[in-house]
Amino acid sequence: MPNQKLIEHIRRGLRESQDPERALKMQAYMKSSMPYLGVPMPVVRKFTTTAARSFPFSGEASLLNTATVLWREAEFREERYVAMALTGLKATRANLIFLPLYCEMVSTGAWWDHVDEVAHRIKDLLQAHPSTMKPLILTWSEDEDFWFRRLSIISQLQAKAGTDVELLTQVIEPNMPDSEFFIRKAIGWALREYAKTDPEWVKEFVAVRETQLSPLSRREALKHLS
């Protein structure tokens, strides 16, 4: 069962914190069909953490159901941000029961703010359950929906030395010819992030595939490398 008290508290609190002028700017910036209340993300995250402590969950299933309700019934984008923030609580990070919800968030959210946040959860699941997640991420890398392909490419951001470079290569290569901006940007982002850990590997990766990578991907990958 969902945590109804928390849901009601969240909805009420977000509406009490609304800023109509900021909301219009946020909606325009995100090109969102769903309206905003105008609550900044740091406030949303802090509010979510406080609410979870004040209205504790009976278990992980309750948290999952609560996040699902907030996501599906959202009238304002901040409610979806709360749903995502709930899945980022420490107890949930390596639990596969949340995976179907993450997939729903990507397919129905279908925008970079949602996909990029889900990527952090996928990284945690990959590290905890590599035998389950690696084949799935490889499948996503060739999905018809480019948001799943973006998710596969950025699924190891900030993994640092724990990055599976074979997997990183396998998800990037089939997407190098894609002209979609969000794919090209994701490739460069993933490589640029890993360059903080192993710059020589990234330099070699780009050099070998220089004519196959888009200028945007190359530029982003080598952005902080001499």
Side-chain angles (χ1 to χ4, degrees):
M1 294 291 291
N3 187 334
Q4 200 59 44
K5 289 184 178 180
L6 182 140
I7 291 173
E8 292 170 1
H9 177 77
I10 290 290
R11 289 172 173 167
R12 182 172 60 253
L14 288 175
R15 284 159 177 76
E16 290 174 353
S17 303
Q18 65 181 300
D19 181 337
E21 185 176 348
R22 182 193 295 269
L24 292 174
K25 293 178 181 178
M26 293 171 71
Q27 185 174 3
Y29 172 74
M30 291 302 300
K31 301 177 182 178
S32 174
S33 58
M34 182 179 288
Y36 277 83
L37 286 164
V39 184
M41 272 304 300
V43 176
V44 170
R45 292 193 182 101
K46 184 176 180 180
F47 182 51
T48 303
T49 303
T50 302
R53 284 198 295 261
S54 300
F55 303 93
F57 295 95
S58 59
E60 291 170 339
S62 175
L63 195 156
L64 172 61
N65 290 334
T66 302
T68 300
V69 167
L70 284 166
W71 180 268
R72 292 178 179 173
E73 297 182 2
E75 296 179 23
F76 299 94
R77 206 170 182 94
E78 286 91 344
E79 292 172 282
R80 287 194 157 180
Y81 291 157
V82 170
M84 303 190 84
L86 286 174
T87 68
L89 296 176
K90 189 175 181 179
T92 74
R93 291 179 183 173
N95 197 321
L96 285 169
I97 69 168
F98 291 88
L99 182 57
L101 177 58
Y102 298 151
C103 292
E104 180 178 337
M105 288 173 165
V106 172
S107 61
T108 60
W111 198 239
W112 64 265
D113 55 340
H114 297 318
V115 176
D116 294 3
E117 186 67 20
V118 168
H120 297 300
R121 315 291 184 266
I122 299 303
K123 180 202 72 173
D124 293 334
L125 289 180
L126 174 63
Q127 292 181 333
H129 309 279
S131 62
T132 297
M133 294 304 301
K134 186 171 180 177
L136 182 59
I137 291 170
L138 286 171
T139 299
W140 288 342
S141 71
E142 300 191 59
D143 198 281
E144 291 183 1
D145 185 341
F146 74 82
W147 290 115
F148 277 100
R149 287 189 275 120
R150 178 179 172 89
L151 178 63
S152 73
I153 294 165
I154 63 173
S155 63
Q156 296 192 81
L157 289 178
Q158 300 176 348
K160 300 180 180 179
T163 300
D164 182 336
V165 293
E166 178 186 22
L167 177 60
L168 182 60
T169 301
Q170 289 175 312
V171 297
I172 288 177
E173 287 186 332
N175 286 288
M176 290 190 298
D178 199 308
S179 61
E180 169 58 52
F181 168 80
F182 287 107
I183 294 298
R184 293 184 171 189
K185 188 77 170 181
I187 291 172
W189 185 14
L191 292 171
R192 184 180 78 236
E193 185 65 28
Y194 187 56
K196 297 175 184 177
T197 299
D198 192 341
E200 294 307 315
W201 186 92
V202 172
K203 287 179 183 178
E204 182 178 357
F205 182 97
V206 172
V208 170
R209 299 163 181 82
E210 185 171 3
T211 60
Q212 299 165 278
L213 287 164
S214 71
L216 173 59
S217 297
R218 290 198 305 273
R219 185 168 63 251
E220 287 294 315
L222 303 175
K223 192 171 185 178
H224 301 302
L225 300 177
S226 58

